[in-house]
Amino acid sequence: MEGDGYKVVFEKGGVYLHTSAKKHQDPDSLIAGVIRVVEKDSDVLLQWVPVEEAGDSTQILFAKKDVSGGDACTSEEEPTFDPGYEPDWAVISTVRPQPRHSEPTRGAEPSSPRGSWAFSVSLGELKSIRRSKPGLSWAYLVLVTQAGGSLPALHFHRGGTRALLRVLSRYLLLASSPQDSRLYLVFPHDSSALSSSFHHLQLFDQDSSNVVSRFLQDPYSTTFGGFSRVTNFFRGALQPHPEGASPDLPPPPDDEPEPGFEVISCVELGPRPAVERAPPVTEEEWAHHVGPEGRLQQVPMLKARIFSGGLSPGLRREAWKFLLGYLSWEGSAEEHKAHVRKKTDEYFRMKLQWKSVSPEQERRNSLLHGYRSLIERDVSRTDRTNKFYEGPENPGLGLLNDILLTYCMYHFDLGYVQGMSDLLSPILYVIQNEVDAFWCFCGFMELVHGNFEESQETMKRQLGQLLLLLRVLDPSLCDFLDSQDSGSLCFCFRWLLIWFKREFPFPDVLRLWEVLWTGLPGPNLHLLVACAILDMERDTLMLSGFGSNEILKHINELTMKLSVEDVLTRAEALYRQLTACPELPHNVQEVLGLVPPTEPHSPSPPASPLPLSPTRAPPAPPPPEDTAPQPDSSLEILPEEEEEEGEEEESVKS
């Protein structure tokens, strides 16, 4: 619908007004209509008209509330309607149509009861926009004007709140209130006005919590009402002018955190670069990096090679000990042997703690008994199709059980949580030594143990970061997922929890993990791996018209059908595409590790999440008084490791 000085830039049907305060609306109280954003002359209008008046809405104007009482439309005899939400947002009697002086074309008569609800308001008149709480049957928006009145609550029976906000953000700046994540404050695209608003609201106060903090406190509502919102932001609006800038203007986003609210930038990403994976690092290539005294040389170059190509299978047993922090990249061969002897003794001491518990003692120790039962149940069904673990009397199952129970002694606060056996299984398969596998597993858990905490704060934070990355990479996909009640990305939970262990074939998991353990090109490559999978499936998801159940079903059916090389190639390409953007939002830069976090992590107790750091080794306890290994008749070591340890003992005696 376009005419002289009149252009419709957005239109959405199925937008209803609920004119009854009853919880269950009867058909007469529901008024179906169309919401439009219209460019008219030099102004931009937001219009809603009932379906019978959808043919002509150009003459509908917004009538401000007349506090003097002179306007007949504000008569006290006119009843007010409360849609049943918060009373302060349910004032919908302040909107009245202005009588028309021309005959309407196509539609209801001006005196039509339904037509009396139509309104049109300039975007400059808006003060705030409030979104509905998650979980309601229909999403709605309540728009408040500068005069203090509210427009009728707009109920989107067919979705579209996000699309409308996206269009509005072309003309306005929308910032989430620090006091209420569902309330968007409306500002014009004017840097001085925005600065004044920031100062008034104290949005940059250091005591304010950022969007991640709000997400941790209330993940459900913040996921739908905070992270998944769409607010276009032009970077120049926050940057001071070169000359004559207001002293109250905040620094640019790169220099100053933005706690209390989150403005998601609408950035133009450049073309996605082509990426080619390299061949795996071979044993010969690794040997070239071994210098005098067995010290590794040119470690950054070696890590870069592992990132770009992975490791050959025969090299993993040695290289994984370095990647997981069990052995130091800077240590000599003799230092490594001494370290292994110390860690072997330490492992035996912890294992003896639970093996020396009698059945009577265990009956009075419900925690240990619960761990043992859960571990036995999980071990019995972990990778049983793998030849290394198949069969009822397989010694590998006993090793899994013993290592996991010993980890409960190592990390009392965390203990055992379902899913840990999935992380240990590939490590034991590659290392094939109980002691070494235990300490490599501890190194892996240093990276991900926050995933298994009861509070699930680390998982919530990662899902929020994943949504943030996906919002920048593919806003259309985010809009689609949100329209299908899948905007929280909960279907990615298992991916992040156990690092895609059940999504790829077993050999591909080994390749994926060793690449992620390098910590390159940034600390959260696993989030880009998730983005890569979603990017590969975007057309299938969006063009097939999947609902939330179908989306979840489709994601689950991807198990064992993905190519790890294709996913890693795409993940690296996404990283390069993001980092090449000169106006990448600061919060995205933080996720990618391009800038330090605005709120550094403070020292935390053992049960709190640790920053991803593949070179972080488990803290070594004080050396025991007796360094000789303690014999353990129940210890099961694979044959080749028995010979290896025997050689080590003889070298010590000599």
Side-chain angles (χ1 to χ4, degrees):
M1 180 186 301
E2 297 188 17
D4 295 337
Y6 180 84
K7 178 182 178 182
V8 176
V9 295
F10 175 82
E11 184 175 87
K12 177 67 178 178
V15 181
Y16 285 70
L17 300 188
H18 294 191
T19 60
S20 171
K22 296 179 180 179
K23 183 176 181 180
H24 301 287
Q25 303 283 327
D26 58 81
D28 293 335
S29 66
L30 299 179
I31 304 179
V34 177
I35 191 73
R36 296 191 183 108
V37 176
V38 176
E39 293 180 354
K40 182 179 180 183
D41 299 328
S42 60
D43 198 6
V44 183
L45 306 175
L46 180 67
Q47 302 176 342
W48 180 90
V49 290
V51 288
E52 62 262 32
E53 294 199 357
D56 178 27
S57 62
T58 61
Q59 302 300 322
I60 303 174
L61 301 177
F62 170 65
K64 299 181 181 179
K65 186 174 181 180
D66 186 356
V67 296
S68 65
D71 192 335
C73 293
T74 59
S75 170
E76 295 181 357
E77 297 178 359
E78 182 71 20
T80 59
F81 294 92
D82 185 347
Y85 319 120
E86 295 94 345
D88 53 333
W89 295 102
V91 184
I92 61 176
S93 62
T94 59
V95 179
R96 293 294 179 267
Q98 184 178 30
R100 299 180 184 174
H101 302 288
S102 58
E103 291 295 326
T105 60
R106 294 189 309 158
E109 295 297 325
S111 59
S112 169
R114 290 178 175 262
S116 66
W117 292 103
F119 67 83
S120 177
V121 59
S122 171
L123 296 190
E125 296 282 351
L126 295 180
K127 180 180 181 181
S128 63
I129 302 174
R130 185 177 178 88
R131 297 184 69 178
S132 56
K133 294 180 180 179
L136 296 177
S137 57
W138 290 302
Y140 69 84
L141 296 177
V142 176
L143 295 88
V144 178
T145 67
Q146 298 286 351
S150 299
L151 297 172
L154 302 173
H155 296 257
F156 292 74
H157 289 203
R158 303 175 189 170
T161 57
R162 180 174 302 279
L164 176 59
L165 290 174
R166 188 176 183 84
V167 173
L168 293 180
S169 60
R170 298 179 191 172
Y171 308 96
L172 303 167
L173 287 176
L174 305 179
S176 180
S177 167
Q179 285 78 30
D180 188 346
S181 60
R182 296 187 291 119
L183 177 63
Y184 291 89
L185 307 176
V186 178
F187 310 109
H189 278 301
D190 178 82
S191 58
S192 60
L194 183 62
S195 172
S196 175
S197 301
F198 285 166
H199 178 74
H200 175 70
L201 293 170
Q202 298 180 342
L203 296 179
F204 288 90
D205 186 88
Q206 293 182 354
D207 294 332
S208 299
S209 61
N210 59 18
V211 72
V212 173
S213 300
R214 297 204 310 273
F215 179 64
L216 298 182
Q217 296 169 3
D218 190 2
Y220 188 82
S221 64
T222 311
T223 296
F224 286 88
F227 274 112
S228 59
R229 67 183 176 273
V230 180
T231 52
N232 292 337
F233 174 72
F234 295 93
R235 185 178 183 180
L238 278 180
Q239 292 180 335
H241 297 290
E243 298 180 359
S246 171
D248 293 333
L249 264 177
D254 287 344
D255 300 326
E256 177 74 16
E258 300 176 4
F261 78 107
E262 187 70 19
V263 181
I264 299 178
S265 300
C266 180
V267 296
E268 290 292 336
L269 298 178
R272 188 173 301 172
V275 173
E276 292 186 6
R277 299 278 299 163
V281 178
T282 62
E283 296 177 60
E284 293 76 15
E285 185 177 354
W286 180 276
H288 288 313
H289 287 269
V290 179
E293 300 181 345
R295 298 182 190 273
L296 289 173
Q297 300 175 331
Q298 299 177 317
V299 173
M301 182 184 301
L302 182 57
K303 287 183 178 180
R305 276 288 292 117
I306 298 174
F307 166 75
S308 63
L311 296 163
S312 60
L315 183 58
R316 285 181 175 137
R317 184 176 179 182
E318 178 181 2
W320 278 25
K321 298 174 185 178
F322 292 90
L323 289 170
L324 289 169
Y326 177 39
L327 299 181
S328 170
W329 292 95
E330 295 79 20
S332 66
E334 288 301 320
E335 291 171 343
H336 290 158
K337 288 182 180 179
H339 179 73
V340 169
R341 286 194 294 269
K342 183 181 71 171
K343 288 299 184 182
T344 299
D345 177 73
E346 189 176 339
Y347 175 79
F348 288 166
R349 290 176 182 273
M350 289 187 293
K351 182 174 182 179
L352 186 61
Q353 292 176 358
W354 63 265
K355 288 191 71 70
S356 61
V357 175
S358 67
E360 292 184 0
Q361 286 178 299
E362 186 169 331
R363 281 197 295 268
R364 293 188 292 271
N365 190 332
S366 59
L367 186 62
L368 178 61
H369 179 73
Y371 285 152
R372 187 190 295 271
S373 300
L374 185 58
I375 289 171
E376 289 177 355
R377 184 183 66 185
D378 286 357
V379 164
S380 66
R381 56 191 184 187
T382 299
D383 292 327
R384 297 307 302 275
T385 58
N386 188 302
K387 292 184 178 181
F388 189 79
Y389 298 108
E390 68 181 2
E393 302 296 332
N394 192 299
L397 300 180
L399 292 177
L400 283 176
N401 182 86
D402 289 359
I403 291 174
L404 292 172
L405 274 172
T406 305
Y407 185 78
C408 294
M409 302 295 104
Y410 173 77
H411 201 318
F412 284 104
D413 290 332
L414 185 60
Y416 177 80
V417 181
Q418 190 172 20
M420 291 183 181
S421 61
D422 281 289
L423 302 184
L424 173 60
S425 170
I427 294 176
L428 181 60
Y429 170 84
V430 169
I431 302 300
Q432 298 194 9
N433 174 278
E434 181 178 6
V435 175
D436 294 345
F438 171 81
W439 290 112
C440 287
F441 174 68
C442 289
F444 194 7
M445 288 302 298
E446 285 293 317
L447 301 178
V448 301
H449 82 271
N451 293 0
F452 298 95
E453 292 172 352
E454 185 176 0
S455 67
Q456 291 293 289
E457 290 184 351
T458 302
M459 288 301 301
K460 298 166 190 172
R461 171 169 52 84
Q462 290 180 89
L463 285 171
Q465 292 172 334
L466 173 59
L467 189 58
L468 178 63
L469 291 176
L470 194 63
R471 168 62 58 194
V472 176
L473 288 167
D474 197 339
S476 298
L477 178 58
C478 280
D479 289 344
F480 168 76
L481 293 175
D482 189 65
S483 69
Q484 302 302 322
D485 294 329
S486 300
S488 61
L489 302 183
C490 290
F491 51 83
C492 301
F493 186 91
R494 188 178 71 183
W495 295 0
L496 306 183
L497 178 69
I498 53 176
W499 276 27
F500 308 93
K501 166 62 167 53
R502 300 183 185 179
E503 317 312 320
F504 292 93
F506 197 85
D508 284 1
V509 172
L510 308 183
R511 173 61 46 80
L512 174 65
W513 283 5
E514 62 198 15
V515 170
L516 295 177
W517 289 336
T518 65
L520 300 175
N524 289 311
L525 180 62
H526 65 297
L527 300 181
L528 288 171
V529 169
C531 289
I533 297 175
L534 294 175
D535 184 68
M536 296 168 67
E537 299 298 319
R538 76 178 303 274
D539 290 342
T540 302
L541 294 173
M542 297 180 67
L543 299 180
S544 300
F546 286 160
S548 58
N549 292 334
E550 291 79 10
I551 291 173
L552 179 60
K553 181 175 181 292
H554 178 76
I555 294 298
N556 288 335
E557 290 175 349
L558 295 177
T559 301
M560 304 301 163
K561 297 179 182 178
L562 299 168
S563 166
V564 70
E565 292 297 332
D566 292 344
V567 171
L568 285 173
T569 299
R570 190 169 300 226
E572 184 178 355
L574 293 176
Y575 177 85
R576 295 186 183 182
Q577 184 183 26
L578 287 170
T579 55
C581 176
E583 297 186 355
L584 196 65
H586 189 272
N587 49 4
V588 179
Q589 295 184 48
E590 290 181 359
V591 175
L592 299 178
L594 302 178
V595 296
T598 55
E599 295 183 2
H601 293 280
S602 58
S604 53
S608 62
L610 293 175
L612 293 178
S613 175
T615 59
R616 181 188 297 272
E625 297 179 1
D626 185 9
T627 58
Q630 301 294 321
D632 187 347
S633 60
S634 64
L635 183 65
E636 295 181 88
I637 304 293
L638 299 186
E640 53 266 41
E641 291 305 319
E642 290 177 352
E643 298 176 3
E644 185 177 306
E645 290 192 355
E647 294 174 358
E648 291 178 357
E649 291 179 0
E650 290 183 3
S651 64
V652 173
K653 293 178 182 179
S654 61

